[in-house]
Amino acid sequence: MSEPADTPCARFGHTTVFFGDKSGKYPDGNQVIVTGADTRVAFDSPLVANRIGEPFDAADYIVQGHIHEDHITGWHRVRGIPVHVHDADLDAARSWEGLGRAYGLAPDRLPAMRAKIERQFFYEPRPDAIGFADGAQWDLGGGVRVHAVHMPGHTAGHCVLIVEPDGVAFIGDIDLTGFGPYYGDASSSLVDFRRTIARLPDLPASTWITSHHRGVYTERTRMLDALAAFAAKVDDRRERLLEMLREQARSLDELVRIRLIYPPGYEDVYIDDAESHSIRMHLDELVANGVAQKRDDGRYALR
Ligand SMILES: [Zn+2]
């Protein structure tokens, strides 16, 4: 495999990581390529896939950790090769209608979102994407294997992909960034994301590769520290939401306007919907725990 001179990369056994801009900070990402004795596999295809040439373009197939616009930007380069996607993200891979449902955008915002991702991320669907389930395995030859661990929350089908025998885990958008976990889609789940974070330390891995910004962790203690800080962002959001409700009872729409996840004034086509899904999940949790209640006028109040 040829390594492009102008893209930083690092090798971990049979796995090569090509780093996107700013270690793959969104909208870019980090491209993972795994090479066995007879097969080369790409995990996802972030924007950097469009800059590295042969290492990505000559992959035999793609295994997706999940489906989001910034992880499928290289599909247009390799239309003939198989794309494997967890069953719960399969509709999002196969059609724009499926992706739109997974995002859960308001119908009047869908055309603008499609135009944006076609322009910025080379978006096109893969009607022939192949589904897989938790525990799926791929044999790359020479004793190199990949297996999928279903770890939902970010999306319904989000998986960690583990390369054996090297103990390399591609943890995707459990990305350990300072932003914290993203669960702003209709297909996201805060409950599942909390469970996924709790399970991450138990994976059989000694190298952890993130899709965005953090890059690679090779020391378990550093990864665990980053994971704890990442998880704490969820509790920070919960506390801020409680503070907003302590001031006065508020409707979901009012809370979306105030903003919980993104800074006030930050605008993009999907932000209101992402705020709405995220806040609703926190409200559901507060109601389920008996901390808050939904009043007859639709506003949420502390109990
Ligand atoms: Zn994502």
Side-chain angles (χ1 to χ4, degrees), residues 66-78:
H66 73 288
I67 298 297
H68 263 154
E69 70 287 348
D70 54 318
H71 294 256
I72 59 178
T73 76
W75 284 2
H76 70 106
R77 305 179 67 88
V78 289

Side-chain angles (χ1 to χ4, degrees), residues 224-298:
L224 292 175
D225 287 349
L227 184 64
F230 186 67
K233 297 295 284 188
V234 180
D235 296 322
D236 290 348
R237 293 167 184 165
R238 180 181 184 277
E239 288 306 312
R240 273 191 292 121
L241 183 57
L242 284 171
E243 189 57 40
M244 292 179 212
L245 296 179
R246 206 167 283 133
E247 289 166 7
Q248 63 183 85
R250 297 182 194 273
S251 69
L252 178 56
D253 284 349
E254 290 165 14
L255 292 164
V256 168
R257 280 196 292 278
I258 297 170
R259 297 228 185 288
L260 180 66
I261 308 296
Y262 293 93
Y266 184 77
E267 297 295 341
D268 205 330
V269 59
Y270 61 89
I271 298 293
D272 280 357
D273 293 296
E275 287 279 0
S276 180
H277 292 306
S278 303
I279 293 170
R280 180 181 44 75
M281 288 178 214
H282 277 282
L283 290 170
D284 287 348
E285 192 178 71
L286 294 177
V287 170
N289 293 340
V291 178
Q293 59 181 330
K294 189 175 184 182
R295 300 191 324 197
D296 290 342
D297 65 0

